[in-house]
Amino acid sequence: MAGAELVSRRVVPGWLRRCLRAGLIMTLSAAVLCALCGGALLALTPNVSDAEQRVRALDAERGISALAVPTPPKVAEALVATEDSRFWRNPGIDPVGVARAVVVWLEGRGGDGGGATLEQQLAKMLYTNGGRTRTDQVEQVALSLKLAHDYPKSEILQMYLAIAYFGHGFYGLEAAARGYFGTTPNRLTWPQAALLAGLVQAPSLYDPLHDPHLARARRAEVLGRLVAVGDLTSAQARAYADGPLDVSP
């Protein structure tokens, strides 16, 4: 046994063993620190048990009752494919998205690197008044974990779509479906669902009434995401992308 240890020490140089030991200590220390900071952040951020009440209050201010509208499968799939493809299996945050956001922060660029989950976006709308500062984004991460813990994914989707802004004063899926297409959410076609799912990122940029060219490009992008996650075939996506926007003036 002593001989094996002696061979090991000869094979692995002392400086390398010291580096590995130091790296392990630093990694463990960082993990402990992150756990302590995360625990403190969870304790300091608001309880999210009132999320539905906040949604209802916002809807009441706007004179709508969008929370009562069930989420149509087409809209759910288009939104998830575009905004948060790992939504159904993530714990409220997406580790890949968080890593991307950290890189963006370190480089001093604005935004979150496109890594915000639907829970984070919902937290931003309900609890941080749409804030985009670094402090707001850190708080949104903690709140998104709480939302994912307290609510089923289906309810998170329903709350999100009840208060999301689709442009032209249309808050909530019901108002957007009627305003753009003169129909109810459950009657939306794939092209219509794709158009609405694409609007939540930037309603004024992809406005189908003012800039149909960009709106068509965004719709095609959403249809492409639906192909990527297996909800549509390439042939279906091409056919839908070639069709008219068919929005009400």
Side-chain angles (χ1 to χ4, degrees), residues 94-105:
D94 181 358
V96 176
V98 170
R100 190 161 53 236
V102 170
V103 171
V104 169
W105 291 4

Side-chain angles (χ1 to χ4, degrees), residues 193-211:
L195 178 66
L196 294 183
L199 280 175
V200 295
Q201 185 186 82
S204 59
L205 178 63
Y206 302 119
D207 186 338
L209 300 181
H210 290 164
D211 198 332

Side-chain angles (χ1 to χ4, degrees), residues 12 21 49 56 85-86 121 130 146 166 184-185 222 233 242:
V12 182
R21 192 180 303 119
S49 60
R56 293 184 192 281
S85 61
R86 289 177 282 273
Q121 295 179 46
K146 291 182 178 182
F166 294 88
T184 56
V222 175
T233 66
D242 289 340

Side-chain angles (χ1 to χ4, degrees), residues 17-90:
R17 288 199 303 275
R18 289 191 294 273
C19 288
L20 291 172
R21 192 180 303 119
L24 179 60
I25 292 171
M26 289 177 63
T27 300
L28 291 174
S29 299
V32 171
L33 182 61
C34 287
L36 291 173
C37 291
L41 187 60
L42 288 172
L44 292 171
T45 49
N47 188 297
V48 297
S49 60
D50 65 341
E52 285 192 10
Q53 289 92 318
R54 286 175 179 256
V55 171
R56 293 184 192 281
L58 285 172
D59 281 355
E61 288 178 12
R62 297 161 182 163
I64 58 177
S65 56
L67 195 57
V69 179
T71 306
K74 289 185 179 70
V75 176
E77 289 166 16
L79 183 68
V80 168
T82 308
E83 292 292 314
D84 186 2
S85 61
R86 289 177 282 273
F87 170 73
W88 296 110
R89 59 183 184 276
N90 70 38

